[in-house]
Amino acid sequence: MSRILVTGGTGYIGSHTVVALQQAGHTPVIVDNLSNSNVRVLDQIEKITGEKPEFHEFDLCDEQRVRAFVAANPDISGIIHFAAYKAVGESVQQPLKYYHNNLFSLINLLNAYAGKPVNFVFSSSCTVYGQPDQLPVTETAQVKQAESPYGNTKQIAEEILSETAAAFDNYQVISLRYFNPVGAHESALIGELPLGVPQNLIPFITQSAIGKRGPITVFGDDYRTPDGSAIRDYIHVVDLASAHVAAIDLLEQGNPNGNYDVFNVGTGTGNSVLEVIRAFEASTGVKLDYQIGPRRAGDVEQVWGDVTKSTEELGWKAALGIEEMMQSAWKWEQYLKANPLS
Ligand code: NAD
Ligand code: WQD
């Protein structure tokens, strides 16, 4: 079927999406500079699907390399653009690193495809909503002032894409606003590879459980939520991957909503930090050591998505629950211990 450029395809969400694309009959072509991923992921993908994806190693901030790639690959009909830096805290310390990488890579791609018909799927984030005024949050909710340079790159990128799609008919764009992606492929052959001490909850939990880290700190138990801890909409990375296939399929059919569209990608339900800890214990049988600490700066109290639009118009719905998320994340952590990838 279609050859789809997957930027950042050796990364966490990208690698799961490459598997989903291959299994749906598409031919993914990965471009990644390996700044936050490991080339061995390609062999891991081959172990799952029997097919080693085509891979090009270069930096999307290199405009000449992007143009040369596009010229040499005229049959690419779709792009899923994952490549970006994503560490919220680091973006506060080094904002220019984030604006440079996340925006130049996007602009270079859009420039290189000028005048060529292309279906473009962008990795956005629920971070654009900040603390929503109403829950569940719908796609029409106000985009709030970003809490970090990272979050701002997502807001600016969405604006660049909607303005570009409005000005030039050749770009058909969907921005997917992910909630909190977690878990790993059921084979445990691919998953998240956090660098250093994980800032995100689930990798911290699995590393703590396996003995790589000390006790988990729950950041705040005095929020206005039923148990006092913060609430998020956790989405299994395998479900998230299939949302990208649905987005490519919708763009290939022609999106009746026009050439720029936005979808929430979550489960539609929220879980508190304490509920996640209990779900991990219940679904893996592993006891966690945790303590309550102060709130983390920049955290919102609670957010979960309204998924009516993605269900009805994207034709996609999450199938996997919190138990599958926890079990697969734990299986991946155990696999990594036995088979270190780096
Ligand atoms: P990741 O770091 O695992 O994957 C990103 C990949 O992009 C990496 O393999 C990295 O090497 C590559 N990359 C970065 N800059 C590049 C460049 N200039 N040229 C070529 N390759 C480059 O991250 P992920 O969790 O898979 O996230 C994928 C996308 O989804 C990102 O855009 C991220 O902002 C977005 N997102 C992630 C989350 C999350 O919690 N993981 C949530 C919302 C949105
Ligand atoms: C989840 C909850 C923490 C670690 C981040 C980005 C967001 C998006 C997804 C990219 C929060 C609590 C965490 C710990 C804890 N990424 N927590 N102890 O902050 O919702 O979202 O990743 O777009 O932009 O900000 O995810 O996993 O860091 O935290 O109590 O050791 O777990 O306070 O309530 P977050 P997270």
Side-chain angles (χ1 to χ4, degrees), residues 28-59:
V29 178
I30 299 175
V31 169
D32 201 299
N33 65 356
L34 303 177
S35 57
N36 195 37
S37 53
N38 189 307
V39 73
R40 288 170 62 193
V41 165
L42 300 170
D43 298 323
Q44 300 295 97
I45 292 172
E46 187 181 12
K47 284 181 202 159
I48 298 172
T49 64
E51 207 181 325
K52 190 165 176 167
E54 184 180 327
F55 173 61
H56 301 261
E57 183 182 345
F58 66 89
D59 187 340

PDB file of all heavy atoms in Angstrom, residues 28-59:
ATOM      1  N   PRO A  28       6.328   1.614   6.127  1.00  0.00           N
ATOM      2  CA  PRO A  28       6.949   2.756   6.800  1.00  0.00           C
ATOM      3  C   PRO A  28       8.416   2.922   6.407  1.00  0.00           C
ATOM      4  O   PRO A  28       9.124   1.933   6.203  1.00  0.00           O
ATOM      5  CB  PRO A  28       6.829   2.408   8.288  1.00  0.00           C
ATOM      6  CG  PRO A  28       6.628   0.936   8.352  1.00  0.00           C
ATOM      7  CD  PRO A  28       6.055   0.490   7.047  1.00  0.00           C
ATOM      8  N   VAL A  29       8.846   4.161   6.285  1.00  0.00           N
ATOM      9  CA  VAL A  29      10.239   4.494   5.996  1.00  0.00           C
ATOM     10  C   VAL A  29      10.680   5.424   7.125  1.00  0.00           C
ATOM     11  O   VAL A  29      10.118   6.513   7.292  1.00  0.00           O
ATOM     12  CB  VAL A  29      10.355   5.223   4.642  1.00  0.00           C
ATOM     13  CG1 VAL A  29      11.802   5.608   4.374  1.00  0.00           C
ATOM     14  CG2 VAL A  29       9.789   4.366   3.511  1.00  0.00           C
ATOM     15  N   ILE A  30      11.658   4.971   7.911  1.00  0.00           N
ATOM     16  CA  ILE A  30      12.032   5.736   9.111  1.00  0.00           C
ATOM     17  C   ILE A  30      13.153   6.718   8.812  1.00  0.00           C
ATOM     18  O   ILE A  30      14.139   6.370   8.153  1.00  0.00           O
ATOM     19  CB  ILE A  30      12.516   4.771  10.230  1.00  0.00           C
ATOM     20  CG1 ILE A  30      11.383   3.805  10.622  1.00  0.00           C
ATOM     21  CG2 ILE A  30      13.029   5.548  11.439  1.00  0.00           C
ATOM     22  CD1 ILE A  30      11.807   2.747  11.639  1.00  0.00           C
ATOM     23  N   VAL A  31      13.002   7.946   9.313  1.00  0.00           N
ATOM     24  CA  VAL A  31      14.129   8.880   9.401  1.00  0.00           C
ATOM     25  C   VAL A  31      14.308   9.225  10.878  1.00  0.00           C
ATOM     26  O   VAL A  31      13.335   9.628  11.542  1.00  0.00           O
ATOM     27  CB  VAL A  31      13.888  10.173   8.590  1.00  0.00           C
ATOM     28  CG1 VAL A  31      14.959  11.213   8.925  1.00  0.00           C
ATOM     29  CG2 VAL A  31      13.900   9.880   7.100  1.00  0.00           C
ATOM     30  N   ASP A  32      15.514   9.024  11.389  1.00  0.00           N
ATOM     31  CA  ASP A  32      15.780   9.341  12.802  1.00  0.00           C
ATOM     32  C   ASP A  32      17.275   9.636  12.937  1.00  0.00           C
ATOM     33  O   ASP A  32      18.085   9.010  12.256  1.00  0.00           O
ATOM     34  CB  ASP A  32      15.381   8.152  13.694  1.00  0.00           C
ATOM     35  CG  ASP A  32      15.143   8.550  15.138  1.00  0.00           C
ATOM     36  OD1 ASP A  32      16.100   9.056  15.794  1.00  0.00           O
ATOM     37  OD2 ASP A  32      14.019   8.362  15.633  1.00  0.00           O
ATOM     38  N   ASN A  33      17.624  10.576  13.780  1.00  0.00           N
ATOM     39  CA  ASN A  33      19.061  10.833  14.002  1.00  0.00           C
ATOM     40  C   ASN A  33      19.587  10.099  15.232  1.00  0.00           C
ATOM     41  O   ASN A  33      20.729  10.315  15.635  1.00  0.00           O
ATOM     42  CB  ASN A  33      19.337  12.340  14.118  1.00  0.00           C
ATOM     43  CG  ASN A  33      18.682  12.965  15.336  1.00  0.00           C
ATOM     44  OD1 ASN A  33      17.949  12.284  16.062  1.00  0.00           O
ATOM     45  ND2 ASN A  33      18.943  14.244  15.568  1.00  0.00           N
ATOM     46  N   LEU A  34      18.753   9.257  15.837  1.00  0.00           N
ATOM     47  CA  LEU A  34      19.133   8.434  16.994  1.00  0.00           C
ATOM     48  C   LEU A  34      19.562   9.283  18.192  1.00  0.00           C
ATOM     49  O   LEU A  34      20.291   8.815  19.056  1.00  0.00           O
ATOM     50  CB  LEU A  34      20.231   7.422  16.615  1.00  0.00           C
ATOM     51  CG  LEU A  34      19.887   6.475  15.450  1.00  0.00           C
ATOM     52  CD1 LEU A  34      21.072   5.563  15.122  1.00  0.00           C
ATOM     53  CD2 LEU A  34      18.662   5.607  15.785  1.00  0.00           C
ATOM     54  N   SER A  35      19.096  10.536  18.253  1.00  0.00           N
ATOM     55  CA  SER A  35      19.468  11.381  19.388  1.00  0.00           C
ATOM     56  C   SER A  35      18.805  10.893  20.671  1.00  0.00           C
ATOM     57  O   SER A  35      19.309  11.149  21.756  1.00  0.00           O
ATOM     58  CB  SER A  35      19.099  12.845  19.126  1.00  0.00           C
ATOM     59  OG  SER A  35      17.718  12.960  18.856  1.00  0.00           O
ATOM     60  N   ASN A  36      17.673  10.192  20.545  1.00  0.00           N
ATOM     61  CA  ASN A  36      17.031   9.657  21.754  1.00  0.00           C
ATOM     62  C   ASN A  36      16.496   8.250  21.504  1.00  0.00           C
ATOM     63  O   ASN A  36      15.437   7.882  22.017  1.00  0.00           O
ATOM     64  CB  ASN A  36      15.897  10.589  22.218  1.00  0.00           C
ATOM     65  CG  ASN A  36      15.460  10.287  23.637  1.00  0.00           C
ATOM     66  OD1 ASN A  36      16.294   9.960  24.486  1.00  0.00           O
ATOM     67  ND2 ASN A  36      14.171  10.357  23.906  1.00  0.00           N
ATOM     68  N   SER A  37      17.212   7.481  20.688  1.00  0.00           N
ATOM     69  CA  SER A  37      16.759   6.104  20.435  1.00  0.00           C
ATOM     70  C   SER A  37      17.946   5.268  19.999  1.00  0.00           C
ATOM     71  O   SER A  37      19.033   5.783  19.745  1.00  0.00           O
ATOM     72  CB  SER A  37      15.652   6.077  19.381  1.00  0.00           C
ATOM     73  OG  SER A  37      16.055   6.765  18.226  1.00  0.00           O
ATOM     74  N   ASN A  38      17.683   3.962  19.895  1.00  0.00           N
ATOM     75  CA  ASN A  38      18.752   2.998  19.656  1.00  0.00           C
ATOM     76  C   ASN A  38      18.493   2.291  18.329  1.00  0.00           C
ATOM     77  O   ASN A  38      17.371   1.834  18.075  1.00  0.00           O
ATOM     78  CB  ASN A  38      18.719   1.994  20.818  1.00  0.00           C
ATOM     79  CG  ASN A  38      19.893   1.082  20.830  1.00  0.00           C
ATOM     80  OD1 ASN A  38      20.196   0.428  19.840  1.00  0.00           O
ATOM     81  ND2 ASN A  38      20.583   1.037  21.961  1.00  0.00           N
ATOM     82  N   VAL A  39      19.535   2.152  17.533  1.00  0.00           N
ATOM     83  CA  VAL A  39      19.372   1.560  16.200  1.00  0.00           C
ATOM     84  C   VAL A  39      18.918   0.102  16.281  1.00  0.00           C
ATOM     85  O   VAL A  39      18.303  -0.422  15.349  1.00  0.00           O
ATOM     86  CB  VAL A  39      20.681   1.727  15.375  1.00  0.00           C
ATOM     87  CG1 VAL A  39      21.778   0.788  15.866  1.00  0.00           C
ATOM     88  CG2 VAL A  39      20.422   1.573  13.881  1.00  0.00           C
ATOM     89  N   ARG A  40      19.170  -0.536  17.418  1.00  0.00           N
ATOM     90  CA  ARG A  40      18.757  -1.944  17.558  1.00  0.00           C
ATOM     91  C   ARG A  40      17.241  -2.122  17.582  1.00  0.00           C
ATOM     92  O   ARG A  40      16.726  -3.233  17.424  1.00  0.00           O
ATOM     93  CB  ARG A  40      19.403  -2.545  18.809  1.00  0.00           C
ATOM     94  CG  ARG A  40      20.909  -2.763  18.573  1.00  0.00           C
ATOM     95  CD  ARG A  40      21.645  -3.133  19.820  1.00  0.00           C
ATOM     96  NE  ARG A  40      21.186  -4.377  20.404  1.00  0.00           N
ATOM     97  CZ  ARG A  40      21.499  -4.786  21.629  1.00  0.00           C
ATOM     98  NH1 ARG A  40      22.267  -4.053  22.387  1.00  0.00           N
ATOM     99  NH2 ARG A  40      21.048  -5.930  22.091  1.00  0.00           N
ATOM    100  N   VAL A  41      16.533  -1.012  17.760  1.00  0.00           N
ATOM    101  CA  VAL A  41      15.060  -1.063  17.693  1.00  0.00           C
ATOM    102  C   VAL A  41      14.598  -1.627  16.338  1.00  0.00           C
ATOM    103  O   VAL A  41      13.573  -2.311  16.247  1.00  0.00           O
ATOM    104  CB  VAL A  41      14.483   0.368  17.942  1.00  0.00           C
ATOM    105  CG1 VAL A  41      13.028   0.476  17.539  1.00  0.00           C
ATOM    106  CG2 VAL A  41      14.669   0.745  19.412  1.00  0.00           C
ATOM    107  N   LEU A  42      15.395  -1.390  15.292  1.00  0.00           N
ATOM    108  CA  LEU A  42      15.021  -1.894  13.960  1.00  0.00           C
ATOM    109  C   LEU A  42      14.961  -3.424  13.954  1.00  0.00           C
ATOM    110  O   LEU A  42      14.047  -4.021  13.372  1.00  0.00           O
ATOM    111  CB  LEU A  42      16.020  -1.403  12.905  1.00  0.00           C
ATOM    112  CG  LEU A  42      16.145   0.117  12.757  1.00  0.00           C
ATOM    113  CD1 LEU A  42      17.331   0.467  11.862  1.00  0.00           C
ATOM    114  CD2 LEU A  42      14.854   0.714  12.212  1.00  0.00           C
ATOM    115  N   ASP A  43      15.943  -4.060  14.619  1.00  0.00           N
ATOM    116  CA  ASP A  43      15.928  -5.537  14.709  1.00  0.00           C
ATOM    117  C   ASP A  43      14.763  -6.020  15.567  1.00  0.00           C
ATOM    118  O   ASP A  43      14.168  -7.062  15.303  1.00  0.00           O
ATOM    119  CB  ASP A  43      17.242  -6.050  15.324  1.00  0.00           C
ATOM    120  CG  ASP A  43      18.441  -5.692  14.465  1.00  0.00           C
ATOM    121  OD1 ASP A  43      18.308  -5.716  13.224  1.00  0.00           O
ATOM    122  OD2 ASP A  43      19.505  -5.355  15.033  1.00  0.00           O
ATOM    123  N   GLN A  44      14.465  -5.240  16.595  1.00  0.00           N
ATOM    124  CA  GLN A  44      13.349  -5.617  17.481  1.00  0.00           C
ATOM    125  C   GLN A  44      12.031  -5.574  16.710  1.00  0.00           C
ATOM    126  O   GLN A  44      11.184  -6.450  16.855  1.00  0.00           O
ATOM    127  CB  GLN A  44      13.286  -4.657  18.684  1.00  0.00           C
ATOM    128  CG  GLN A  44      14.542  -4.633  19.540  1.00  0.00           C
ATOM    129  CD  GLN A  44      14.803  -5.959  20.220  1.00  0.00           C
ATOM    130  OE1 GLN A  44      15.578  -6.773  19.733  1.00  0.00           O
ATOM    131  NE2 GLN A  44      14.155  -6.198  21.344  1.00  0.00           N
ATOM    132  N   ILE A  45      11.886  -4.533  15.866  1.00  0.00           N
ATOM    133  CA  ILE A  45      10.673  -4.442  15.038  1.00  0.00           C
ATOM    134  C   ILE A  45      10.600  -5.657  14.102  1.00  0.00           C
ATOM    135  O   ILE A  45       9.550  -6.284  13.941  1.00  0.00           O
ATOM    136  CB  ILE A  45      10.659  -3.115  14.235  1.00  0.00           C
ATOM    137  CG1 ILE A  45      10.499  -1.926  15.190  1.00  0.00           C
ATOM    138  CG2 ILE A  45       9.564  -3.123  13.161  1.00  0.00           C
ATOM    139  CD1 ILE A  45      10.661  -0.554  14.536  1.00  0.00           C
ATOM    140  N   GLU A  46      11.744  -6.010  13.529  1.00  0.00           N
ATOM    141  CA  GLU A  46      11.767  -7.166  12.610  1.00  0.00           C
ATOM    142  C   GLU A  46      11.365  -8.456  13.333  1.00  0.00           C
ATOM    143  O   GLU A  46      10.676  -9.306  12.770  1.00  0.00           O
ATOM    144  CB  GLU A  46      13.165  -7.313  11.988  1.00  0.00           C
ATOM    145  CG  GLU A  46      13.203  -8.385  10.907  1.00  0.00           C
ATOM    146  CD  GLU A  46      14.582  -8.578  10.290  1.00  0.00           C
ATOM    147  OE1 GLU A  46      15.567  -8.049  10.841  1.00  0.00           O
ATOM    148  OE2 GLU A  46      14.653  -9.261   9.254  1.00  0.00           O
ATOM    149  N   LYS A  47      11.765  -8.566  14.612  1.00  0.00           N
ATOM    150  CA  LYS A  47      11.382  -9.776  15.368  1.00  0.00           C
ATOM    151  C   LYS A  47       9.858  -9.844  15.529  1.00  0.00           C
ATOM    152  O   LYS A  47       9.278 -10.919  15.602  1.00  0.00           O
ATOM    153  CB  LYS A  47      12.034  -9.762  16.757  1.00  0.00           C
ATOM    154  CG  LYS A  47      13.513 -10.114  16.730  1.00  0.00           C
ATOM    155  CD  LYS A  47      14.094 -10.111  18.147  1.00  0.00           C
ATOM    156  CE  LYS A  47      15.593  -9.916  18.119  1.00  0.00           C
ATOM    157  NZ  LYS A  47      16.151  -9.414  19.377  1.00  0.00           N
ATOM    158  N   ILE A  48       9.203  -8.690  15.610  1.00  0.00           N
ATOM    159  CA  ILE A  48       7.737  -8.684  15.795  1.00  0.00           C
ATOM    160  C   ILE A  48       7.017  -8.932  14.472  1.00  0.00           C
ATOM    161  O   ILE A  48       6.092  -9.739  14.403  1.00  0.00           O
ATOM    162  CB  ILE A  48       7.268  -7.330  16.394  1.00  0.00           C
ATOM    163  CG1 ILE A  48       7.883  -7.106  17.772  1.00  0.00           C
ATOM    164  CG2 ILE A  48       5.738  -7.276  16.473  1.00  0.00           C
ATOM    165  CD1 ILE A  48       7.638  -5.714  18.344  1.00  0.00           C
ATOM    166  N   THR A  49       7.450  -8.241  13.418  1.00  0.00           N
ATOM    167  CA  THR A  49       6.653  -8.249  12.173  1.00  0.00           C
ATOM    168  C   THR A  49       7.277  -9.097  11.068  1.00  0.00           C
ATOM    169  O   THR A  49       6.643  -9.325  10.037  1.00  0.00           O
ATOM    170  CB  THR A  49       6.502  -6.814  11.616  1.00  0.00           C
ATOM    171  OG1 THR A  49       7.811  -6.331  11.259  1.00  0.00           O
ATOM    172  CG2 THR A  49       5.879  -5.877  12.634  1.00  0.00           C
ATOM    173  N   GLY A  50       8.534  -9.507  11.258  1.00  0.00           N
ATOM    174  CA  GLY A  50       9.209 -10.257  10.202  1.00  0.00           C
ATOM    175  C   GLY A  50       9.766  -9.362   9.108  1.00  0.00           C
ATOM    176  O   GLY A  50      10.260  -9.853   8.083  1.00  0.00           O
ATOM    177  N   GLU A  51       9.688  -8.062   9.308  1.00  0.00           N
ATOM    178  CA  GLU A  51      10.089  -7.120   8.265  1.00  0.00           C
ATOM    179  C   GLU A  51      10.933  -6.018   8.888  1.00  0.00           C
ATOM    180  O   GLU A  51      10.456  -5.315   9.792  1.00  0.00           O
ATOM    181  CB  GLU A  51       8.794  -6.500   7.728  1.00  0.00           C
ATOM    182  CG  GLU A  51       8.837  -6.021   6.312  1.00  0.00           C
ATOM    183  CD  GLU A  51       7.480  -5.409   5.967  1.00  0.00           C
ATOM    184  OE1 GLU A  51       6.436  -5.924   6.466  1.00  0.00           O
ATOM    185  OE2 GLU A  51       7.467  -4.405   5.262  1.00  0.00           O
ATOM    186  N   LYS A  52      12.185  -5.876   8.421  1.00  0.00           N
ATOM    187  CA  LYS A  52      13.025  -4.799   8.957  1.00  0.00           C
ATOM    188  C   LYS A  52      12.693  -3.512   8.197  1.00  0.00           C
ATOM    189  O   LYS A  52      12.792  -3.483   6.965  1.00  0.00           O
ATOM    190  CB  LYS A  52      14.505  -5.156   8.793  1.00  0.00           C
ATOM    191  CG  LYS A  52      15.416  -4.210   9.539  1.00  0.00           C
ATOM    192  CD  LYS A  52      16.817  -4.800   9.671  1.00  0.00           C
ATOM    193  CE  LYS A  52      17.754  -3.822  10.319  1.00  0.00           C
ATOM    194  NZ  LYS A  52      19.004  -4.425  10.742  1.00  0.00           N
ATOM    195  N   PRO A  53      12.288  -2.466   8.906  1.00  0.00           N
ATOM    196  CA  PRO A  53      11.890  -1.266   8.179  1.00  0.00           C
ATOM    197  C   PRO A  53      13.077  -0.546   7.548  1.00  0.00           C
ATOM    198  O   PRO A  53      14.202  -0.623   8.051  1.00  0.00           O
ATOM    199  CB  PRO A  53      11.246  -0.387   9.261  1.00  0.00           C
ATOM    200  CG  PRO A  53      11.706  -0.931  10.553  1.00  0.00           C
ATOM    201  CD  PRO A  53      12.099  -2.364  10.362  1.00  0.00           C
ATOM    202  N   GLU A  54      12.799   0.120   6.431  1.00  0.00           N
ATOM    203  CA  GLU A  54      13.821   0.950   5.788  1.00  0.00           C
ATOM    204  C   GLU A  54      14.184   2.091   6.737  1.00  0.00           C
ATOM    205  O   GLU A  54      13.297   2.689   7.350  1.00  0.00           O
ATOM    206  CB  GLU A  54      13.240   1.505   4.476  1.00  0.00           C
ATOM    207  CG  GLU A  54      14.225   2.291   3.660  1.00  0.00           C
ATOM    208  CD  GLU A  54      13.569   2.807   2.360  1.00  0.00           C
ATOM    209  OE1 GLU A  54      12.676   2.134   1.786  1.00  0.00           O
ATOM    210  OE2 GLU A  54      13.958   3.916   1.937  1.00  0.00           O
ATOM    211  N   PHE A  55      15.485   2.384   6.834  1.00  0.00           N
ATOM    212  CA  PHE A  55      15.927   3.369   7.826  1.00  0.00           C
ATOM    213  C   PHE A  55      16.943   4.320   7.224  1.00  0.00           C
ATOM    214  O   PHE A  55      17.873   3.895   6.535  1.00  0.00           O
ATOM    215  CB  PHE A  55      16.557   2.646   9.030  1.00  0.00           C
ATOM    216  CG  PHE A  55      17.183   3.567  10.033  1.00  0.00           C
ATOM    217  CD1 PHE A  55      16.416   4.522  10.695  1.00  0.00           C
ATOM    218  CD2 PHE A  55      18.544   3.483  10.325  1.00  0.00           C
ATOM    219  CE1 PHE A  55      16.994   5.379  11.630  1.00  0.00           C
ATOM    220  CE2 PHE A  55      19.123   4.336  11.254  1.00  0.00           C
ATOM    221  CZ  PHE A  55      18.345   5.290  11.908  1.00  0.00           C
ATOM    222  N   HIS A  56      16.755   5.619   7.478  1.00  0.00           N
ATOM    223  CA  HIS A  56      17.704   6.648   7.051  1.00  0.00           C
ATOM    224  C   HIS A  56      18.104   7.439   8.290  1.00  0.00           C
ATOM    225  O   HIS A  56      17.225   7.996   8.964  1.00  0.00           O
ATOM    226  CB  HIS A  56      17.055   7.593   6.036  1.00  0.00           C
ATOM    227  CG  HIS A  56      16.563   6.879   4.808  1.00  0.00           C
ATOM    228  ND1 HIS A  56      17.262   6.842   3.633  1.00  0.00           N
ATOM    229  CD2 HIS A  56      15.438   6.141   4.597  1.00  0.00           C
ATOM    230  CE1 HIS A  56      16.598   6.136   2.738  1.00  0.00           C
ATOM    231  NE2 HIS A  56      15.477   5.694   3.299  1.00  0.00           N
ATOM    232  N   GLU A  57      19.401   7.478   8.570  1.00  0.00           N
ATOM    233  CA  GLU A  57      19.860   8.206   9.762  1.00  0.00           C
ATOM    234  C   GLU A  57      20.322   9.605   9.370  1.00  0.00           C
ATOM    235  O   GLU A  57      21.354   9.765   8.725  1.00  0.00           O
ATOM    236  CB  GLU A  57      21.013   7.439  10.427  1.00  0.00           C
ATOM    237  CG  GLU A  57      21.473   8.130  11.702  1.00  0.00           C
ATOM    238  CD  GLU A  57      22.644   7.424  12.371  1.00  0.00           C
ATOM    239  OE1 GLU A  57      22.949   6.270  12.040  1.00  0.00           O
ATOM    240  OE2 GLU A  57      23.270   8.073  13.239  1.00  0.00           O
ATOM    241  N   PHE A  58      19.542  10.600   9.714  1.00  0.00           N
ATOM    242  CA  PHE A  58      20.012  11.979   9.579  1.00  0.00           C
ATOM    243  C   PHE A  58      19.162  12.913  10.426  1.00  0.00           C
ATOM    244  O   PHE A  58      18.104  12.529  10.940  1.00  0.00           O
ATOM    245  CB  PHE A  58      20.082  12.432   8.108  1.00  0.00           C
ATOM    246  CG  PHE A  58      18.771  12.530   7.375  1.00  0.00           C
ATOM    247  CD1 PHE A  58      18.023  13.693   7.391  1.00  0.00           C
ATOM    248  CD2 PHE A  58      18.290  11.456   6.628  1.00  0.00           C
ATOM    249  CE1 PHE A  58      16.828  13.798   6.698  1.00  0.00           C
ATOM    250  CE2 PHE A  58      17.089  11.551   5.932  1.00  0.00           C
ATOM    251  CZ  PHE A  58      16.363  12.729   5.960  1.00  0.00           C
ATOM    252  N   ASP A  59      19.653  14.136  10.549  1.00  0.00           N
ATOM    253  CA  ASP A  59      19.001  15.140  11.393  1.00  0.00           C
ATOM    254  C   ASP A  59      18.046  15.971  10.534  1.00  0.00           C
ATOM    255  O   ASP A  59      18.464  16.570   9.538  1.00  0.00           O
ATOM    256  CB  ASP A  59      20.101  16.038  11.998  1.00  0.00           C
ATOM    257  CG  ASP A  59      19.555  17.015  13.021  1.00  0.00           C
ATOM    258  OD1 ASP A  59      18.345  17.289  13.011  1.00  0.00           O
ATOM    259  OD2 ASP A  59      20.369  17.501  13.836  1.00  0.00           O
TER     260      ASP A  59
END
